[in-house]
Amino acid sequence: MVLQRLEICVQLMKLAVEFVMTVAESIGVVIHQNESPAVVTTSRSFASPIPLVGKRNPKSSDGKATTTITTATPSLLLEVKVMLPIKVIFGDVTVAKRFDPTELAHIPKTRLGEGTLGTLFKVVLGCGLVVTIRKIREGLTVSAVALEMWVNFFGGMKDDGLLLPIHFSFWYGGEAFILYEYLILGSLEELLHGSEGIQFTPLKWGIRKRIALYAAQAVALIHSRVTHDVEPLICGVIKASNILIRVDFSACLSSYETPYLVPPETIVKRNPGRVAPELKGRHPKTFTRKSDVYSFGVLLLELVTGERPSMTNLRAYVFERKVKWGLSSVYDKKMGDLVNENLAGMIEIARACLLCKPQGRPSMEDVVRMIKAL
């Protein structure tokens, strides 16, 4: 409807131009026009050539007057800026001024990946600041009221750098966005399974052990908190793509808000090989702290083997190969020819996390203590 009205206005402007030029010609007035090309910043272009009558020339040598008629494209410069409704979900007034929602919604973005919660983009702002922004996937989230409640809840959580903080969140039209810090090294999944190249550096065992400790502490931190209804917080699924790495190879947990915004059935379906056995089958899907511990055990084996859980049953892969061919047949050869007690100890911690019966699994606080003891 807006474009139709705009098109009518443009057509009226064209008629007005034609009328003025015709009158000018009839009285011998010369009107000069800018002949630069038309620019229309809308989804439709309305510019088209219009015949323009030029000027009356002086009488020629034979005494007859001549008229030169030229055709040009008028400079029709229209800038249409559509402003959709904006509502800040999380972030104070200072942050809202620093991060303009309209700019964030329209600025060119580099796609980083597709997560359960939505697509993740890298954005370079006009001021030069680099941030990460997630566009929440339509149809996967809870109600708008619940989304706002949970984003505010997790955005207000205080931690010791173990969680990727939520800086800002907003509605733009009917779409929700969440803004995070951008970490240049990316995720653990990229470092473990990324393409080898001239800048590729395999993660040594010492770095993998350090990342495992940070990840365990982050999950333990989530488990130490409760919701507004005094229900224990959970992570849902703990995976390498949600472990982000800083330049000193410390790590922080991201996407911890996902199980409160996305149906559990969707999370289970999108994460084969990473969920606890009690979440499989037809019975209702309910994440617990013990199911988080199982998922963390899978992450430990991924760190040890360098194999993707979605491609390999890591629990069976590791324990069967270790029995048949020893520890050297299990660990990721990118770490070099290194087999030590730390590696064997980490596999034993993973074994405890991966027990089939939830009640037999350790707490995440216990897991942190065991990793520190290695």
PDB file of all heavy atoms in Angstrom, residues 246-274:
ATOM      1  N   ARG A 246      38.983 -17.582  24.122  1.00  0.00           N
ATOM      2  CA  ARG A 246      39.649 -16.285  24.124  1.00  0.00           C
ATOM      3  C   ARG A 246      41.106 -16.450  23.678  1.00  0.00           C
ATOM      4  O   ARG A 246      41.603 -17.558  23.537  1.00  0.00           O
ATOM      5  CB  ARG A 246      39.568 -15.662  25.518  1.00  0.00           C
ATOM      6  CG  ARG A 246      38.126 -15.363  25.969  1.00  0.00           C
ATOM      7  CD  ARG A 246      38.121 -14.522  27.237  1.00  0.00           C
ATOM      8  NE  ARG A 246      36.765 -14.093  27.571  1.00  0.00           N
ATOM      9  CZ  ARG A 246      35.968 -14.746  28.411  1.00  0.00           C
ATOM     10  NH1 ARG A 246      36.389 -15.865  29.005  1.00  0.00           N
ATOM     11  NH2 ARG A 246      34.746 -14.303  28.671  1.00  0.00           N
ATOM     12  N   VAL A 247      41.778 -15.328  23.476  1.00  0.00           N
ATOM     13  CA  VAL A 247      43.134 -15.383  22.913  1.00  0.00           C
ATOM     14  C   VAL A 247      44.134 -16.052  23.858  1.00  0.00           C
ATOM     15  O   VAL A 247      45.177 -16.547  23.418  1.00  0.00           O
ATOM     16  CB  VAL A 247      43.625 -13.968  22.536  1.00  0.00           C
ATOM     17  CG1 VAL A 247      42.836 -13.433  21.363  1.00  0.00           C
ATOM     18  CG2 VAL A 247      43.531 -13.017  23.719  1.00  0.00           C
ATOM     19  N   ASP A 248      43.840 -16.089  25.155  1.00  0.00           N
ATOM     20  CA  ASP A 248      44.721 -16.780  26.098  1.00  0.00           C
ATOM     21  C   ASP A 248      44.308 -18.232  26.306  1.00  0.00           C
ATOM     22  O   ASP A 248      44.818 -18.907  27.189  1.00  0.00           O
ATOM     23  CB  ASP A 248      44.751 -16.047  27.439  1.00  0.00           C
ATOM     24  CG  ASP A 248      43.383 -16.017  28.120  1.00  0.00           C
ATOM     25  OD1 ASP A 248      42.382 -16.402  27.458  1.00  0.00           O
ATOM     26  OD2 ASP A 248      43.305 -15.606  29.294  1.00  0.00           O
ATOM     27  N   PHE A 249      43.373 -18.700  25.466  1.00  0.00           N
ATOM     28  CA  PHE A 249      42.831 -20.057  25.497  1.00  0.00           C
ATOM     29  C   PHE A 249      42.044 -20.360  26.779  1.00  0.00           C
ATOM     30  O   PHE A 249      41.863 -21.514  27.138  1.00  0.00           O
ATOM     31  CB  PHE A 249      43.931 -21.111  25.277  1.00  0.00           C
ATOM     32  CG  PHE A 249      44.427 -21.133  23.862  1.00  0.00           C
ATOM     33  CD1 PHE A 249      45.639 -20.542  23.528  1.00  0.00           C
ATOM     34  CD2 PHE A 249      43.664 -21.704  22.857  1.00  0.00           C
ATOM     35  CE1 PHE A 249      46.084 -20.533  22.221  1.00  0.00           C
ATOM     36  CE2 PHE A 249      44.101 -21.698  21.547  1.00  0.00           C
ATOM     37  CZ  PHE A 249      45.319 -21.112  21.221  1.00  0.00           C
ATOM     38  N   SER A 250      41.610 -19.306  27.460  1.00  0.00           N
ATOM     39  CA  SER A 250      40.554 -19.507  28.450  1.00  0.00           C
ATOM     40  C   SER A 250      39.257 -19.650  27.648  1.00  0.00           C
ATOM     41  O   SER A 250      39.208 -19.309  26.466  1.00  0.00           O
ATOM     42  CB  SER A 250      40.485 -18.340  29.430  1.00  0.00           C
ATOM     43  OG  SER A 250      40.187 -17.138  28.739  1.00  0.00           O
ATOM     44  N   ALA A 251      38.214 -20.153  28.279  1.00  0.00           N
ATOM     45  CA  ALA A 251      36.981 -20.444  27.545  1.00  0.00           C
ATOM     46  C   ALA A 251      35.776 -19.928  28.309  1.00  0.00           C
ATOM     47  O   ALA A 251      35.815 -19.750  29.537  1.00  0.00           O
ATOM     48  CB  ALA A 251      36.849 -21.948  27.305  1.00  0.00           C
ATOM     49  N   CYS A 252      34.702 -19.687  27.573  1.00  0.00           N
ATOM     50  CA  CYS A 252      33.440 -19.301  28.192  1.00  0.00           C
ATOM     51  C   CYS A 252      32.295 -20.021  27.483  1.00  0.00           C
ATOM     52  O   CYS A 252      32.423 -20.440  26.330  1.00  0.00           O
ATOM     53  CB  CYS A 252      33.238 -17.788  28.168  1.00  0.00           C
ATOM     54  SG  CYS A 252      33.149 -17.074  26.509  1.00  0.00           S
ATOM     55  N   LEU A 253      31.201 -20.182  28.193  1.00  0.00           N
ATOM     56  CA  LEU A 253      30.043 -20.911  27.690  1.00  0.00           C
ATOM     57  C   LEU A 253      29.050 -19.939  27.072  1.00  0.00           C
ATOM     58  O   LEU A 253      28.722 -18.908  27.656  1.00  0.00           O
ATOM     59  CB  LEU A 253      29.381 -21.679  28.839  1.00  0.00           C
ATOM     60  CG  LEU A 253      28.144 -22.520  28.504  1.00  0.00           C
ATOM     61  CD1 LEU A 253      28.510 -23.687  27.598  1.00  0.00           C
ATOM     62  CD2 LEU A 253      27.490 -23.030  29.793  1.00  0.00           C
ATOM     63  N   SER A 254      28.548 -20.278  25.883  1.00  0.00           N
ATOM     64  CA  SER A 254      27.528 -19.472  25.223  1.00  0.00           C
ATOM     65  C   SER A 254      26.261 -20.302  25.026  1.00  0.00           C
ATOM     66  O   SER A 254      26.251 -21.509  25.269  1.00  0.00           O
ATOM     67  CB  SER A 254      28.038 -18.969  23.862  1.00  0.00           C
ATOM     68  OG  SER A 254      28.179 -20.050  22.953  1.00  0.00           O
ATOM     69  N   SER A 255      25.197 -19.637  24.600  1.00  0.00           N
ATOM     70  CA  SER A 255      23.909 -20.287  24.295  1.00  0.00           C
ATOM     71  C   SER A 255      23.312 -21.014  25.507  1.00  0.00           C
ATOM     72  O   SER A 255      22.511 -21.942  25.340  1.00  0.00           O
ATOM     73  CB  SER A 255      24.076 -21.269  23.123  1.00  0.00           C
ATOM     74  OG  SER A 255      24.510 -20.600  21.958  1.00  0.00           O
ATOM     75  N   TYR A 256      23.647 -20.586  26.694  1.00  0.00           N
ATOM     76  CA  TYR A 256      23.103 -21.208  27.905  1.00  0.00           C
ATOM     77  C   TYR A 256      21.622 -20.872  28.091  1.00  0.00           C
ATOM     78  O   TYR A 256      20.936 -21.502  28.891  1.00  0.00           O
ATOM     79  CB  TYR A 256      23.907 -20.776  29.139  1.00  0.00           C
ATOM     80  CG  TYR A 256      24.259 -19.316  29.156  1.00  0.00           C
ATOM     81  CD1 TYR A 256      23.379 -18.356  29.633  1.00  0.00           C
ATOM     82  CD2 TYR A 256      25.490 -18.884  28.660  1.00  0.00           C
ATOM     83  CE1 TYR A 256      23.702 -17.017  29.633  1.00  0.00           C
ATOM     84  CE2 TYR A 256      25.830 -17.541  28.650  1.00  0.00           C
ATOM     85  CZ  TYR A 256      24.937 -16.612  29.136  1.00  0.00           C
ATOM     86  OH  TYR A 256      25.272 -15.273  29.115  1.00  0.00           O
ATOM     87  N   GLU A 257      21.128 -19.891  27.343  1.00  0.00           N
ATOM     88  CA  GLU A 257      19.706 -19.537  27.427  1.00  0.00           C
ATOM     89  C   GLU A 257      18.827 -20.413  26.548  1.00  0.00           C
ATOM     90  O   GLU A 257      17.597 -20.390  26.656  1.00  0.00           O
ATOM     91  CB  GLU A 257      19.501 -18.058  27.055  1.00  0.00           C
ATOM     92  CG  GLU A 257      19.760 -17.718  25.599  1.00  0.00           C
ATOM     93  CD  GLU A 257      21.197 -17.363  25.285  1.00  0.00           C
ATOM     94  OE1 GLU A 257      22.100 -17.901  25.950  1.00  0.00           O
ATOM     95  OE2 GLU A 257      21.429 -16.564  24.366  1.00  0.00           O
ATOM     96  N   THR A 258      19.446 -21.214  25.666  1.00  0.00           N
ATOM     97  CA  THR A 258      18.698 -21.969  24.665  1.00  0.00           C
ATOM     98  C   THR A 258      17.604 -22.872  25.236  1.00  0.00           C
ATOM     99  O   THR A 258      16.475 -22.868  24.732  1.00  0.00           O
ATOM    100  CB  THR A 258      19.662 -22.808  23.798  1.00  0.00           C
ATOM    101  OG1 THR A 258      20.578 -21.917  23.138  1.00  0.00           O
ATOM    102  CG2 THR A 258      18.905 -23.602  22.742  1.00  0.00           C
ATOM    103  N   PRO A 259      17.854 -23.695  26.277  1.00  0.00           N
ATOM    104  CA  PRO A 259      16.798 -24.609  26.740  1.00  0.00           C
ATOM    105  C   PRO A 259      15.570 -23.924  27.308  1.00  0.00           C
ATOM    106  O   PRO A 259      14.533 -24.573  27.502  1.00  0.00           O
ATOM    107  CB  PRO A 259      17.505 -25.442  27.812  1.00  0.00           C
ATOM    108  CG  PRO A 259      18.643 -24.622  28.266  1.00  0.00           C
ATOM    109  CD  PRO A 259      19.101 -23.875  27.045  1.00  0.00           C
ATOM    110  N   TYR A 260      15.655 -22.611  27.534  1.00  0.00           N
ATOM    111  CA  TYR A 260      14.508 -21.877  28.062  1.00  0.00           C
ATOM    112  C   TYR A 260      13.758 -21.126  26.959  1.00  0.00           C
ATOM    113  O   TYR A 260      12.721 -20.508  27.220  1.00  0.00           O
ATOM    114  CB  TYR A 260      14.982 -20.909  29.152  1.00  0.00           C
ATOM    115  CG  TYR A 260      15.576 -21.652  30.316  1.00  0.00           C
ATOM    116  CD1 TYR A 260      16.945 -21.884  30.385  1.00  0.00           C
ATOM    117  CD2 TYR A 260      14.765 -22.186  31.320  1.00  0.00           C
ATOM    118  CE1 TYR A 260      17.499 -22.602  31.435  1.00  0.00           C
ATOM    119  CE2 TYR A 260      15.308 -22.911  32.370  1.00  0.00           C
ATOM    120  CZ  TYR A 260      16.668 -23.120  32.416  1.00  0.00           C
ATOM    121  OH  TYR A 260      17.211 -23.848  33.448  1.00  0.00           O
ATOM    122  N   LEU A 261      14.285 -21.186  25.739  1.00  0.00           N
ATOM    123  CA  LEU A 261      13.653 -20.495  24.618  1.00  0.00           C
ATOM    124  C   LEU A 261      13.243 -21.434  23.493  1.00  0.00           C
ATOM    125  O   LEU A 261      12.497 -21.047  22.602  1.00  0.00           O
ATOM    126  CB  LEU A 261      14.608 -19.432  24.056  1.00  0.00           C
ATOM    127  CG  LEU A 261      15.086 -18.348  25.034  1.00  0.00           C
ATOM    128  CD1 LEU A 261      16.082 -17.419  24.357  1.00  0.00           C
ATOM    129  CD2 LEU A 261      13.915 -17.551  25.584  1.00  0.00           C
ATOM    130  N   VAL A 262      13.745 -22.657  23.516  1.00  0.00           N
ATOM    131  CA  VAL A 262      13.501 -23.619  22.445  1.00  0.00           C
ATOM    132  C   VAL A 262      12.934 -24.901  23.049  1.00  0.00           C
ATOM    133  O   VAL A 262      13.402 -25.356  24.098  1.00  0.00           O
ATOM    134  CB  VAL A 262      14.816 -23.925  21.685  1.00  0.00           C
ATOM    135  CG1 VAL A 262      14.579 -24.953  20.586  1.00  0.00           C
ATOM    136  CG2 VAL A 262      15.397 -22.650  21.096  1.00  0.00           C
ATOM    137  N   PRO A 263      11.936 -25.509  22.424  1.00  0.00           N
ATOM    138  CA  PRO A 263      11.374 -26.765  22.943  1.00  0.00           C
ATOM    139  C   PRO A 263      12.438 -27.850  23.076  1.00  0.00           C
ATOM    140  O   PRO A 263      13.316 -27.985  22.204  1.00  0.00           O
ATOM    141  CB  PRO A 263      10.332 -27.145  21.877  1.00  0.00           C
ATOM    142  CG  PRO A 263       9.975 -25.859  21.205  1.00  0.00           C
ATOM    143  CD  PRO A 263      11.226 -25.038  21.211  1.00  0.00           C
ATOM    144  N   PRO A 264      12.409 -28.635  24.153  1.00  0.00           N
ATOM    145  CA  PRO A 264      13.436 -29.673  24.361  1.00  0.00           C
ATOM    146  C   PRO A 264      13.480 -30.701  23.237  1.00  0.00           C
ATOM    147  O   PRO A 264      14.554 -31.217  22.906  1.00  0.00           O
ATOM    148  CB  PRO A 264      13.037 -30.304  25.700  1.00  0.00           C
ATOM    149  CG  PRO A 264      11.615 -29.902  25.932  1.00  0.00           C
ATOM    150  CD  PRO A 264      11.452 -28.586  25.272  1.00  0.00           C
ATOM    151  N   GLU A 265      12.345 -31.006  22.651  1.00  0.00           N
ATOM    152  CA  GLU A 265      12.328 -31.980  21.546  1.00  0.00           C
ATOM    153  C   GLU A 265      13.186 -31.497  20.380  1.00  0.00           C
ATOM    154  O   GLU A 265      13.877 -32.288  19.721  1.00  0.00           O
ATOM    155  CB  GLU A 265      10.896 -32.216  21.072  1.00  0.00           C
ATOM    156  CG  GLU A 265       9.977 -32.882  22.083  1.00  0.00           C
ATOM    157  CD  GLU A 265       9.453 -31.926  23.135  1.00  0.00           C
ATOM    158  OE1 GLU A 265       9.620 -30.694  22.963  1.00  0.00           O
ATOM    159  OE2 GLU A 265       8.876 -32.400  24.136  1.00  0.00           O
ATOM    160  N   THR A 266      13.150 -30.193  20.121  1.00  0.00           N
ATOM    161  CA  THR A 266      13.948 -29.626  19.033  1.00  0.00           C
ATOM    162  C   THR A 266      15.439 -29.723  19.347  1.00  0.00           C
ATOM    163  O   THR A 266      16.252 -30.062  18.479  1.00  0.00           O
ATOM    164  CB  THR A 266      13.571 -28.155  18.801  1.00  0.00           C
ATOM    165  OG1 THR A 266      12.181 -28.067  18.505  1.00  0.00           O
ATOM    166  CG2 THR A 266      14.373 -27.557  17.665  1.00  0.00           C
ATOM    167  N   ILE A 267      15.810 -29.442  20.580  1.00  0.00           N
ATOM    168  CA  ILE A 267      17.221 -29.508  20.978  1.00  0.00           C
ATOM    169  C   ILE A 267      17.745 -30.931  20.858  1.00  0.00           C
ATOM    170  O   ILE A 267      18.846 -31.168  20.336  1.00  0.00           O
ATOM    171  CB  ILE A 267      17.393 -28.977  22.411  1.00  0.00           C
ATOM    172  CG1 ILE A 267      16.961 -27.510  22.484  1.00  0.00           C
ATOM    173  CG2 ILE A 267      18.832 -29.134  22.876  1.00  0.00           C
ATOM    174  CD1 ILE A 267      16.967 -26.925  23.879  1.00  0.00           C
ATOM    175  N   VAL A 268      16.970 -31.898  21.332  1.00  0.00           N
ATOM    176  CA  VAL A 268      17.380 -33.299  21.260  1.00  0.00           C
ATOM    177  C   VAL A 268      17.545 -33.736  19.809  1.00  0.00           C
ATOM    178  O   VAL A 268      18.535 -34.403  19.445  1.00  0.00           O
ATOM    179  CB  VAL A 268      16.354 -34.200  21.986  1.00  0.00           C
ATOM    180  CG1 VAL A 268      16.646 -35.676  21.728  1.00  0.00           C
ATOM    181  CG2 VAL A 268      16.367 -33.916  23.482  1.00  0.00           C
ATOM    182  N   LYS A 269      16.613 -33.354  18.970  1.00  0.00           N
ATOM    183  CA  LYS A 269      16.655 -33.741  17.556  1.00  0.00           C
ATOM    184  C   LYS A 269      17.861 -33.160  16.846  1.00  0.00           C
ATOM    185  O   LYS A 269      18.454 -33.813  15.976  1.00  0.00           O
ATOM    186  CB  LYS A 269      15.369 -33.286  16.865  1.00  0.00           C
ATOM    187  CG  LYS A 269      15.261 -33.717  15.413  1.00  0.00           C
ATOM    188  CD  LYS A 269      13.939 -33.258  14.815  1.00  0.00           C
ATOM    189  CE  LYS A 269      13.826 -33.665  13.345  1.00  0.00           C
ATOM    190  NZ  LYS A 269      12.528 -33.224  12.749  1.00  0.00           N
ATOM    191  N   ARG A 270      18.272 -31.942  17.198  1.00  0.00           N
ATOM    192  CA  ARG A 270      19.367 -31.261  16.514  1.00  0.00           C
ATOM    193  C   ARG A 270      20.737 -31.637  17.060  1.00  0.00           C
ATOM    194  O   ARG A 270      21.756 -31.165  16.543  1.00  0.00           O
ATOM    195  CB  ARG A 270      19.186 -29.742  16.609  1.00  0.00           C
ATOM    196  CG  ARG A 270      18.025 -29.199  15.787  1.00  0.00           C
ATOM    197  CD  ARG A 270      17.879 -27.700  15.997  1.00  0.00           C
ATOM    198  NE  ARG A 270      19.080 -26.972  15.589  1.00  0.00           N
ATOM    199  CZ  ARG A 270      19.289 -26.475  14.372  1.00  0.00           C
ATOM    200  NH1 ARG A 270      18.368 -26.647  13.427  1.00  0.00           N
ATOM    201  NH2 ARG A 270      20.388 -25.815  14.081  1.00  0.00           N
ATOM    202  N   ASN A 271      20.791 -32.471  18.080  1.00  0.00           N
ATOM    203  CA  ASN A 271      22.079 -32.790  18.710  1.00  0.00           C
ATOM    204  C   ASN A 271      22.287 -34.293  18.892  1.00  0.00           C
ATOM    205  O   ASN A 271      22.446 -34.778  20.018  1.00  0.00           O
ATOM    206  CB  ASN A 271      22.191 -32.074  20.060  1.00  0.00           C
ATOM    207  CG  ASN A 271      22.295 -30.570  19.905  1.00  0.00           C
ATOM    208  OD1 ASN A 271      23.349 -30.024  19.619  1.00  0.00           O
ATOM    209  ND2 ASN A 271      21.169 -29.887  20.077  1.00  0.00           N
ATOM    210  N   PRO A 272      22.293 -35.045  17.803  1.00  0.00           N
ATOM    211  CA  PRO A 272      22.517 -36.490  17.923  1.00  0.00           C
ATOM    212  C   PRO A 272      23.921 -36.773  18.470  1.00  0.00           C
ATOM    213  O   PRO A 272      24.883 -36.092  18.138  1.00  0.00           O
ATOM    214  CB  PRO A 272      22.385 -36.980  16.476  1.00  0.00           C
ATOM    215  CG  PRO A 272      22.715 -35.786  15.637  1.00  0.00           C
ATOM    216  CD  PRO A 272      22.186 -34.605  16.393  1.00  0.00           C
ATOM    217  N   GLY A 273      23.992 -37.778  19.343  1.00  0.00           N
ATOM    218  CA  GLY A 273      25.277 -38.159  19.901  1.00  0.00           C
ATOM    219  C   GLY A 273      25.696 -37.385  21.122  1.00  0.00           C
ATOM    220  O   GLY A 273      26.716 -37.699  21.751  1.00  0.00           O
ATOM    221  N   ARG A 274      24.923 -36.352  21.503  1.00  0.00           N
ATOM    222  CA  ARG A 274      25.325 -35.511  22.632  1.00  0.00           C
ATOM    223  C   ARG A 274      24.342 -35.550  23.800  1.00  0.00           C
ATOM    224  O   ARG A 274      24.619 -34.943  24.834  1.00  0.00           O
ATOM    225  CB  ARG A 274      25.471 -34.055  22.164  1.00  0.00           C
ATOM    226  CG  ARG A 274      26.604 -33.817  21.184  1.00  0.00           C
ATOM    227  CD  ARG A 274      26.755 -32.333  20.894  1.00  0.00           C
ATOM    228  NE  ARG A 274      27.908 -32.042  20.061  1.00  0.00           N
ATOM    229  CZ  ARG A 274      27.882 -31.948  18.741  1.00  0.00           C
ATOM    230  NH1 ARG A 274      26.719 -32.117  18.114  1.00  0.00           N
ATOM    231  NH2 ARG A 274      28.958 -31.682  18.044  1.00  0.00           N
TER     232      ARG A 274
END
